[in-house]
Amino acid sequence: MNFSLVRIKRQLYSLLSKIANIAPLILLGVISIFLIFVTYKSTSYLKLINLKPSDTLAFFDDPLRHLENTNYQTNILLLGIRGFGDQGEDLTDTMLLISYDHQSKRISTLSIPRDIYINSLKTKINSFYHYGKLLAPDGGIKLTSAAVTESLGVPVHYSAVIDFNLFKNIIDLLGGVDINISRSFTDNKFPLPGKETALPISSRYEIISFTAGPNHLDSDMALKFIRSRYADGEEGTDIARNARQQLILDTIRREIQSPQFLLDRNKVANLFEIINKTVDTNISSKIYPSLLRFAWNGRGKVLNEIELNYQAANNQIAVLENPNPKNYQGQWVLIAKDNNWKALQQYIQNRLNGRQ
């Protein structure tokens, strides 16, 4: 009796072990069937982004097999322009590099100050997109990417230029964004569109204020939050402005990745339509599944945020400096600390590799 009971236990244990061994395959099969079902039911989604159903299987593959990379790092440059109808509409006042490390599965973001001086053209980096567009339709992306590599030593594999109106439209689609503002600030000189030459000068601006703590921002206020430049104190610096932009971007990313959004067919379709209309990019839709996979691989991990400061603050060292304008055609610019660009490039690569 006892012998039979032991044998039954052994057989049961053996069966459970076999099930455990094939459980990952079962799970993968279920996921694959689900993906096929979603693909079959969502051909209209795929048509919106010019993607074949077979391309979606790349999501289950290693992104390294599908994405360009240098030393196992894939870098995507996001450029934010003010948009048509605004003064300086094609100046890239927002520049963010997203880097994915295929080995560590780490996602890093590097905020690039718009005032970095590029010696080859004797001007600031935020004007390269403008000059490149004068040369060729895709010249803006190419010239700006070259400037990033020249100054910061980071190769750019993919780029996307985003009109600020994209943020507004997406935030409208989300019904606003909920963020936690770290510091209260007031900007007394936020520019009013179309009033750039109005008199008196005071009529060119409005006063905007934000209070520290939890805030719900509609699209208009969110856009003002990331564009404000003339607040008193720390929030008036480009460093703080870049941090606010990263905060909004991360909030949008989390909202779009939520099940509530992804299961809303109309919202997803509207998002694709907004992106198609307002994004200038060299990213092929064929690699979207691989980009989604690296975003999936990085889920739950803290972003490795890298800032290039010209003032020591928040336990960050100053790696840039503001030189005498008379040596730079009278421009207020930023250059590498002690004009040592190699040291700056090494600092950036160390941070991308996870070394402080």
Side-chain angles (χ1 to χ4, degrees):
M1 182 71 175
N2 290 337
F3 177 76
S4 299
L5 182 60
V6 170
R7 185 173 61 181
I8 291 173
K9 287 183 177 180
R10 286 178 178 175
Q11 290 175 343
L12 181 60
Y13 177 80
S14 176
L15 177 61
L16 291 174
S17 297
K18 290 178 181 179
I19 292 175
N21 288 335
I22 65 171
L25 296 178
I26 294 173
L27 179 61
L28 180 59
V30 171
I31 294 175
S32 299
I33 292 170
F34 175 74
L35 180 66
I36 292 170
F37 172 77
V38 170
T39 300
Y40 172 75
K41 298 293 287 185
S42 307
T43 53
S44 57
Y45 286 176
L46 301 182
K47 288 180 181 179
L48 282 172
I49 57 176
N50 194 28
L51 191 67
K52 297 178 181 178
S54 58
D55 293 333
T56 62
L57 296 177
F59 176 81
F60 294 104
D61 202 359
D62 186 345
L64 187 63
R65 292 168 54 88
H66 303 274
L67 300 177
E68 293 182 26
N69 70 93
T70 301
N71 297 326
Y72 301 101
Q73 289 178 350
T74 294
N75 302 318
I76 304 171
L77 180 64
L78 300 182
L79 305 173
I81 59 175
R82 301 177 190 179
F84 295 109
D86 201 353
Q87 191 178 42
E89 61 188 30
D90 55 0
L91 295 179
T92 55
D93 285 348
T94 298
M95 307 182 70
L96 183 70
L97 186 87
I98 300 175
S99 181
Y100 176 68
D101 189 305
H102 291 269
Q103 294 181 314
S104 66
K105 307 295 189 292
R106 179 176 52 252
I107 299 176
S108 302
T109 59
L110 170 65
S111 294
I112 304 173
R114 65 193 185 95
D115 294 309
I116 287 181
Y117 184 80
I118 307 298
N119 192 57
S120 59
L121 284 189
K122 309 296 183 186
T123 190
K124 299 179 184 182
I125 196 170
N126 73 327
S127 63
F128 272 59
Y129 182 74
H130 166 76
Y131 290 122
K133 289 285 285 185
L134 296 177
L135 299 174
D138 62 347
I141 283 179
K142 289 182 176 179
L143 196 61
T144 307
S145 298
V148 169
T149 302
E150 175 188 338
S151 58
L152 307 182
V154 182
V156 176
H157 304 107
Y158 305 102
S159 301
V161 183
I162 303 170
D163 186 318
F164 272 128
N165 289 323
L166 172 70
F167 290 103
K168 189 175 185 302
N169 293 337
I170 291 180
I171 292 170
D172 280 335
L173 183 63
L174 296 174
V177 290
D178 294 307
I179 61 171
N180 190 51
I181 297 177
S182 58
R183 283 188 296 258
S184 300
F185 68 93
T186 297
D187 183 343
N188 294 300
K189 293 182 63 178
F190 189 84
L192 290 168
K195 300 277 186 149
E196 292 81 9
T197 60
L199 293 174
I201 293 178
S202 59
S203 65
R204 302 175 187 179
Y205 309 107
E206 67 171 316
I207 299 173
I208 58 173
S209 296
F210 295 92
T211 304
N215 281 261
H216 179 82
L217 303 183
D218 62 18
S219 59
D220 287 330
M221 290 307 295
L223 200 58
K224 291 175 181 179
F225 180 72
I226 65 175
R227 295 184 63 185
S228 173
R229 293 176 54 202
Y230 296 107
D232 293 329
E234 289 186 45
E235 286 299 324
T237 66
D238 277 347
I239 295 171
R241 184 165 170 264
N242 288 339
R244 294 197 302 270
Q245 291 164 359
Q246 286 195 5
L247 174 61
I248 292 294
L249 279 173
D250 192 47
T251 302
I252 291 174
R253 175 184 65 83
R254 285 187 284 104
E255 287 291 329
I256 289 176
Q257 288 180 340
S258 69
Q260 294 90 336
F261 183 89
L262 293 176
L263 294 176
D264 190 320
R265 188 180 185 283
N266 290 332
K267 285 188 175 181
V268 173
N270 288 336
L271 176 64
F272 286 147
E273 186 176 2
I274 290 169
I275 292 174
N276 287 337
K277 287 182 177 180
T278 54
V279 176
D280 174 19
T281 183
N282 61 3
I283 300 175
S284 167
S285 59
K286 189 173 183 178
I287 67 170
Y288 284 177
S290 297
L291 294 177
L292 179 61
R293 179 58 193 236
F294 93 55
W296 176 264
N297 288 344
R299 72 194 185 283
K301 294 185 178 181
V302 177
L303 286 177
N304 176 31
E305 298 180 2
I306 305 169
E307 296 180 358
L308 303 182
N309 301 320
Y310 63 93
Q311 296 174 333
N314 300 326
N315 298 321
Q316 298 288 330
I317 63 173
V319 294
L320 301 174
E321 65 181 30
N322 168 226
N324 193 326
K326 72 177 184 180
N327 298 324
Y328 294 86
Q329 300 83 44
Q331 302 177 84
W332 193 99
V333 302
L334 294 172
I335 63 171
K337 185 74 172 177
D338 301 322
N339 206 23
N340 190 339
W341 292 94
K342 288 186 177 180
L344 174 63
Q345 293 171 6
Q346 187 60 57
Y347 168 82
I348 292 171
Q349 194 55 57
N350 287 344
R351 293 298 307 276
L352 289 175
N353 290 334
R355 299 193 295 268
Q356 299 297 324

